[in-house]
Structures are given as structure tokens and as C-alpha cells.
Amino acid sequence: MTETPVATDDVLRKRALEALTTARARTTLLTECVDDDELTAQHSPLMSPLVWDLAHIGNQEEQWLLRAVAGRDAIRPEIDSVYDAFEHPRAERPALPLLSPAESRTYASDIRGRVLDILEAHPLHGSALVDSAFAFGMIAQHEQQHDETMLITHQLRRGPAALDAPEPPGGGTTGLPAEVLVPAGPFTMGTSAEPWALDNERPAHHRQVDAFLIDTTPVTNGAFQAFVADGGYTDERWWAPAGWDQIRKHGIGAPLFWRREGGQWLRRRFGVTEPVPEDEPVLHVSWYEADAYARWAGRRLPTEAEWEKAARHDPASGRSRRYPWGDEDPTPGRANLGQRHLRPAPAGAYPEGASPLGVRQLIGDVWEWTSSDFLPYPGFAAFPYREYSEVFFGPGHKVLRGGSFAVDPVACRGTFRNWDLAVRRQIFSGFRTARDA
């Protein structure tokens, strides 16, 4: 297992400052590219108004860094319940007494200024909340997760494009094997050493995994079009019963945002309508759709343990890496992360980010559905609050791994676990398939 070297307080402060600054710059981009009417509108009942996310980010920062870490008095205690994600479902949030866009910006900025003063002087040792600057890293991750949520809202909103980004690098699967064998044996899953890892990633533990084969790259739009053309959405054989009910009830016949026109598939992507690129990983599919495709293809979704072994296990040394390529942090040449591009890169991209066995694009591009329910690891302990992970454990949520182009590196690593309902399609989700060896 990889042990992360102990960093000095100066190094930790610099890392926390960079993470918080990067997150706030992205939040600003996502909330200043549209007018106030767009910020306060609810673009889908599945999502909050953008202005709710903006003030919620500030409120979480106040609660955890000003109050819990620094022990300061509450600045806006009267809004705590308004921005409590567990108290108010997303569909109800537009009716709450929300801060205006101007008030939200001022509030978030005021909190951030106070937080930076705390970061400069507060000891980064003495309790689990501040050791290794954990609370500051947790808040940076929280803001980036809401930035991804806001990017989803941008995808759902109607109207002209408000965001722009360069195209990702090219890919290509010529010469790549369709699948890779992952040998049987134990590996170390999870982490006890990553300083900013969240509670559901802990602790490190050994898992025995039988030999299996996994797709070298995520399933592409072109491959998924073959499933659609073969009547995949009209053949009950491929579907879990709840999934079959879902597509029948809602008339689903293709990934979200796709439509058939003039003999070709088109999609809407951040306000732009374009042909569906066949070589790009399929996006905006539910767990049910991923599972049905895998059955149709004579395969299955990988388990969460299989996915992590394919991503982290180094057969030569027997240890688990932080990332597929090694222990170094992500770089633009290794993975498509951080909203640097507004789409996945073509299948086969990022050869520098391949795993020791040659599996590509395990980090970034698209969240990958696994077959596993979201469950605690042996020895799990909720920290610093039950509502982050524990309340979601059980068969109601499926695990996604690997991150997407919308995920910042601070909230994406080889051990990071995401989860969602099997029906979810608005998220930046794709998948790859596996089979027993």
C-alpha cells in the first residue's frame, strides 16, 4: 500500500489555499456567465437553482471552517436551515427565502476572506478535523462537487451556450486490445493513508478478486448506437425489471439529450446541437441502460472491487497506486478533469494515464457505473458527519467510479467513490463492461 509522506504545515497551507482558490474560480465562472434570472430559475426539478448552490457553498464553509475549526460565532445562523441539503429536496428549493444573487456572492466572499485568515494561522494538527488540513480539503472538495452539480444544471438549461472550452486531445483505438485480463488474486482496496480521503474511502483493506476481463476503454457512442439500432430499448430480455418499467413509463429510447433527425443521431451539449460523435464515450446513461447494454453485449458491469483493482493494482510490485499511472497527481496529459474540456475525450486518449495492465481512461472523461451497491468498507467509521456517506448505504444507490471531465482533481482519485440512484441520467455517467475470465 502506498504511504503518503507527511507534509509540513507550510506545504499543507499552500495545498489548501490552491484547492480553495481553484474551486472558487470555477464557482465564479459558473455563476457569472449567466444573468440573475438564469441564476434564480430552476432549470430542472432534479436540480437546485444555481443561486442556491452558490450560497450553500458559503454556508458549508462557514459551518465547518469558521465555526467547527476556528470556534467563531455564527455569521448567518438564520440561513442554516434554508441551505440544509437534507432538509429541503431540490424541487422545493426555489420556494425557500433564498439570498439574492448579489447577497449570495457577498456572503460567500465574506466567508472566504475570513477562512483565508484562519488558514494562515490555525494549527494543522491536534484533532482529526484539522490534521493534514483535512477540513480545508473537505470544503474544497465540497465546493468542487457543487461546481460539477452546477455544470449539470448548465447542461439542463435551455438557451444559447454560456460556457466554452477547447476540444480535448484526440484518441484512437487502433492497435489497442478490446479488453484486458486482470489476473486473480488479492489487492489493497481503499485507503488509510490519503490525507483528504473521505470516510467512505476508508479504511484500506484486502480484497480477493477472481480473474476477469475488462474493456480497455469506456463504451463509445458508436457501440451504444448498435444497441439502440438492434432494438435494445424495446427488448425486455436485457433489462432489470425496474429499468424496464422506467423506460416504458417515460418513453426512453436513447441516452438523455439524444434525438434522431435526418437519419442521424444528434445531441444537445451545453446549448449546442451537434452530431453524436461515435468515437466518444457514451454519456448521460442510467445504471439501467448501462446494465442492459452489457447484457445485450453478452457481458456485465464490473464490480466496484474489479474496477478499483483494474485502476490501482500494480502486478509487478503487488501494491495499489494512488492513480492508474502511479502516485503522482493528475496532469493534463494523464486525464480529462477539471472542466478543462466540456466533453469526454475520444476512446483511447491519454495513453500516459493508462494503468499498469494497459486500461485507458479510468480517471476522468465519464463516471463509470459499476454493478455494486454503495456499502461501507469493513471498519468504516462515519466522519465528520453521518450524512456524508452513511445515510446513503444500501441497495438504493449504485457506485460510480473514476470521475468525469467535470470533476476536479481534488475530488478524484483511485479510491474516490461516487454513488447515485440507478435511474439517474443527467449526471456525466458512462460505463465500461467486463466478463469472467
Side-chain angles (χ1 to χ4, degrees):
M1 183 180 70
T2 300
E3 294 294 334
T4 303
V6 177
T8 65
D9 280 6
D10 285 346
V11 171
L12 290 169
R13 291 186 212 283
K14 181 180 179 182
R15 182 186 179 203
L17 177 61
E18 289 176 350
L20 290 168
T21 302
T22 299
R24 187 51 48 89
R26 186 178 177 195
T27 300
T28 300
L29 171 67
L30 290 165
T31 55
E32 291 192 351
C33 63
V34 291
D35 62 25
D36 285 2
D37 288 341
E38 294 273 23
L39 286 177
T40 56
Q42 185 172 47
H43 300 282
S44 165
L46 296 172
M47 311 303 292
S48 309
L50 291 167
V51 75
W52 185 93
D53 288 286
L54 176 58
H56 170 77
I57 286 167
N59 186 249
Q60 285 291 103
E61 194 163 333
E62 179 188 349
Q63 291 194 48
W64 285 104
L65 299 183
L66 265 64
R67 302 182 201 172
V69 170
R72 296 188 181 180
D73 292 338
I75 295 174
R76 297 292 300 266
E78 77 280 5
I79 68 172
D80 287 355
S81 64
V82 173
Y83 295 100
D84 186 332
F86 293 92
E87 189 172 337
H88 305 289
R90 287 174 174 173
E92 299 176 3
R93 291 172 188 170
L96 297 172
L98 303 179
L99 299 182
S100 70
E103 290 171 324
S104 298
R105 291 189 182 100
T106 299
Y107 171 61
S109 178
D110 179 34
I111 298 300
R112 175 53 57 86
R114 297 168 191 252
V115 161
L116 296 183
D117 289 340
I118 293 166
L119 176 61
E120 188 175 331
H122 199 282
L124 300 182
H125 52 80
S127 74
L129 194 58
V130 296
D131 284 350
S132 298
F134 174 81
F136 297 93
M138 177 183 75
I139 287 300
Q141 291 179 80
H142 173 265
E143 181 164 355
Q144 287 285 6
Q145 288 167 332
H146 274 272
D147 288 341
E148 181 178 11
T149 299
M150 289 194 284
L151 190 62
I152 293 170
T153 302
H154 273 278
Q155 169 63 12
L156 287 163
R157 63 177 282 275
R158 296 288 179 173
L163 297 166
D164 191 22
E167 293 297 299
T173 56
T174 302
L176 290 179
E179 58 185 1
V180 170
L181 173 67
V182 181
F187 86 107
T188 300
M189 187 171 185
T191 180
S192 297
E194 190 72 34
W196 288 0
L198 303 171
D199 59 2
N200 62 69
E201 301 171 66
R202 302 173 182 271
H205 58 287
H206 292 290
R207 286 285 182 98
Q208 179 71 34
V209 177
D210 292 337
F212 67 100
L213 293 113
I214 190 167
D215 290 339
T216 303
T217 67
V219 171
T220 64
N221 290 320
F224 201 86
Q225 285 176 26
F227 167 70
V228 178
D230 197 42
Y233 279 92
T234 59
D235 193 333
E236 188 176 358
R237 288 180 298 166
W238 314 126
W239 295 85
W244 182 247
D245 290 344
Q246 184 75 10
I247 65 165
R248 295 296 93 199
K249 178 181 178 181
H250 296 284
I252 296 170
L256 188 61
F257 306 116
W258 284 27
R259 75 171 190 266
R260 188 78 172 167
E261 186 176 298
Q264 67 175 335
W265 284 106
L266 304 177
R267 71 175 180 187
R268 182 168 57 83
R269 182 179 61 86
F270 298 111
V272 175
T273 298
E274 61 189 13
V276 172
E278 294 194 2
D279 60 349
E280 194 175 285
V282 68
L283 193 62
H284 297 301
V285 290
S286 69
W287 183 89
Y288 291 125
E289 290 168 286
D291 179 63
Y293 173 94
R295 294 170 190 261
W296 168 82
R299 299 170 68 82
R300 58 176 175 80
L301 296 179
T303 67
E304 182 182 14
E306 288 174 335
W307 188 97
E308 187 168 326
K309 184 173 184 181
R312 298 184 63 215
H313 181 64
D314 181 0
S317 66
R319 69 178 185 88
S320 289
R321 300 173 164 192
R322 294 179 67 216
Y323 298 96
W325 55 82
D327 298 332
E328 305 82 13
D329 289 337
T331 63
R334 291 174 174 143
N336 183 4
L337 294 167
Q339 200 181 310
R340 191 167 53 249
H341 312 291
L342 286 172
R343 63 197 304 163
Y350 300 103
E352 294 178 29
S355 76
L357 294 171
V359 188
R360 299 278 184 99
Q361 294 167 281
L362 286 156
I363 297 293
D365 287 310
V366 295
W367 284 107
E368 298 185 16
W369 288 109
T370 72
S371 64
S372 299
D373 297 334
F374 184 48
L375 298 171
Y377 290 158
F380 167 84
F383 177 79
Y385 57 106
R386 289 184 61 248
E387 289 79 9
Y388 181 72
S389 301
E390 188 175 333
V391 297
F392 298 101
F393 289 147
H397 293 85
K398 294 294 186 180
V399 174
L400 302 104
R401 300 297 298 264
S404 73
F405 67 89
V407 176
D408 188 80
V410 76
C412 185
R413 44 196 164 262
T415 57
F416 194 93
R417 307 173 76 196
N418 190 11
W419 64 94
D420 216 325
L421 302 174
V423 298
R424 286 288 185 253
R425 311 172 78 220
Q426 82 275 16
I427 60 176
F428 300 115
S429 53
F431 65 100
R432 71 182 73 215
T433 67
R435 66 183 176 95
D436 297 342

